[in-house]
């Protein structure tokens, strides 16, 4: 309960009334304390609470690294009605041999763009580190920024440095793959383990089932350094991790509320 209260304090930095606390609790923020429900798929709860704290009905969402469009599609299905502008920075077009974006990704984009009730959806086919791309967005424009782009230490930390100012006070900044391999996990305090592949949940290759997953400890280290420099702490999703299951079902996502 204390941990939940501290998260409330981050979301509602001014004095909290009993009514506000009750309302916040009813939104289910304590989902992030339960290994079964502490998942990035429930980030709509954080988005809704960030809007509630700002007395807004709709907000702006930035996703860095669109991948297959699966996360975008999930977000639109779950809380798209609360989004004014959904912007995705995805450089695949610049990296592909034919100069085309990933077909499965664009299928998801076009599906939602055809819906008249959907948010304004924009894809920036460029690298998130391009100064021109960074300059497209005013500081404090976004209510939620989710980073899942360059998975190197330098790339991941650069995205935090460049896009943290783009999140308004009271908004959320988060990122995927906040975990290390088994050896690093055993040596680094508080580092989650990326775990093992689970077929078909985290791999489509049945031969990978039970083997250690590819780890991205550079993301963890970059995020930790950034938080220390800014004097805050990350929370992260458990994705099924508990005392009997250190591997989890998916890689954790780090998150915090900007204050």
């Amino acid at each position: 309960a204390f941990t939940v209260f501290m998260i409330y304090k981050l979301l509602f930095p001014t004095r909290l009334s009993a009514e506000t606390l009750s309302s916040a609790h009813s939104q289910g923020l304590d989902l992030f304390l339960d290994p079964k429900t502490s998942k990035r798929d429930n980030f709509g709860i954080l988005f809704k609470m960030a809007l509630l704290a700002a007395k807004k009905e709709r907000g702006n969402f930035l996703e860095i690294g669109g991948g297959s469009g699966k996360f975008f599609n999930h977000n639109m299905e779950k809380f798209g009605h609360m989004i004014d502008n959904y912007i995705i920075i995805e450089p695949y077009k610049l990296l592909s041999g034919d100069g085309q974006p990933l077909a499965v990704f664009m299928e998801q984009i076009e599906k939602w763009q055809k819906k008249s009730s959907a948010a304004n959806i924009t894809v920036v086919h460029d690298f998130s580190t391009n100064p021109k791309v960074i300059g497209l967005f005013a500081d404090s424009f976004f209510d939620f920024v989710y980073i899942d782009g360059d998975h190197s230490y330098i790339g991941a930390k650069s995205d935090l440095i460049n896009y943290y100012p783009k999140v308004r006070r009271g908004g959320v900044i988060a990122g995927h793959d906040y975990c290390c391999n088994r050896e690093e996990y055993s040596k680094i305090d508080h580092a989650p383990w990326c775990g093992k592949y689970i077929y078909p949940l985290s791999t489509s290759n049945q031969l990978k089932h039970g083997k250690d997953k590819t780890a991205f400890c550079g993301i963890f280290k970059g995020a930790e350094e950034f938080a220390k420099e800014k004097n805050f702490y990350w929370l992260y999703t458990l994705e099924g991790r508990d005392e009997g299951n250190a591997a989890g079902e998916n890689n954790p996502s780090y998150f915090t509320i900007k204050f």
Side-chain angles (χ1 to χ4, degrees):
F2 176 74
T3 304
V4 173
F5 179 76
M6 290 307 296
I7 299 174
Y8 292 159
K9 290 291 287 182
L10 287 171
L11 280 165
F12 300 93
T14 55
R15 181 175 297 178
L16 300 178
S17 67
E19 290 79 13
T20 300
L21 278 172
S22 176
S23 174
H25 187 273
S26 69
Q27 301 301 316
L29 191 56
D30 51 343
L31 289 173
F32 293 98
L33 303 178
D34 184 339
K36 295 180 180 179
T37 55
S38 177
K39 300 181 178 182
R40 74 169 186 167
D41 281 351
N42 286 323
F43 274 169
I45 298 293
L46 293 182
F47 187 71
K48 183 176 181 179
M49 293 192 70
L51 296 183
L52 175 65
K55 298 181 179 179
K56 298 173 62 176
E57 294 185 357
R58 295 164 68 92
N60 301 318
F61 195 104
L62 173 65
E63 184 179 349
I64 299 176
S68 67
K70 181 179 178 180
F71 187 55
F72 159 74
N73 182 64
H74 168 85
N75 292 344
M76 289 300 296
E77 287 182 344
K78 296 298 182 180
F79 58 96
H81 61 285
M82 295 187 289
I83 300 176
D84 260 338
N85 296 286
Y86 198 122
I87 298 169
I88 305 176
I89 301 174
E90 175 50 63
Y92 184 91
K93 183 177 180 179
L94 304 182
L95 301 171
S96 63
D98 59 3
Q100 296 298 316
L102 190 64
V104 67
F105 168 73
M106 290 308 299
E107 287 174 6
Q108 298 289 359
I109 298 297
E110 291 166 3
K111 177 183 76 174
W112 285 100
Q113 285 179 330
K114 290 176 181 178
K115 297 187 178 184
S116 59
S117 59
N120 296 315
I121 300 165
T122 303
V123 180
V124 180
H125 296 281
D126 207 333
F127 295 100
S128 60
T129 50
N130 185 334
K132 292 183 178 179
V133 173
I134 298 168
L136 290 174
F137 315 112
D139 287 354
S140 304
F141 178 73
F142 292 104
D143 299 276
F144 201 119
V145 168
Y146 188 76
I147 300 170
D148 195 14
D150 186 339
H151 280 44
S152 69
Y153 160 79
I154 293 176
K157 188 173 180 182
S158 293
D159 280 339
L160 284 168
I161 292 170
N162 293 330
Y163 291 93
Y164 184 79
K166 308 301 180 181
V167 182
R168 67 167 176 81
R169 185 174 182 269
V172 180
I173 186 164
H176 197 212
D177 296 316
Y178 178 78
C179 56
C180 299
N181 64 32
R182 191 194 300 262
E183 182 179 356
E184 292 164 328
Y185 155 72
S186 65
K187 294 179 179 178
I188 303 174
D189 288 343
H190 312 301
W193 176 32
C194 289
K196 299 178 180 181
Y197 286 110
I198 302 172
Y199 174 83
L201 185 64
S202 56
T203 179
S204 58
N205 186 348
Q206 195 167 1
L207 296 177
K208 288 186 176 182
H209 180 76
K211 296 181 179 180
D212 277 21
K213 293 165 65 177
T214 301
F216 303 99
C217 209
I219 292 177
F220 173 83
K221 292 176 181 177
E224 288 298 292
E225 285 183 10
F226 182 81
K228 185 175 181 180
E229 292 163 5
K230 292 292 183 179
N231 195 31
F232 69 81
Y233 294 95
W234 295 112
L235 303 171
Y236 65 88
T237 60
L238 299 174
E239 306 290 344
R241 288 166 177 79
D242 57 23
E243 292 182 2
N245 176 18
E249 301 165 357
N250 194 0
N251 287 352
S253 287
Y254 61 86
F255 65 94
T256 194
I257 291 83
K258 184 177 178 180
F259 52 88

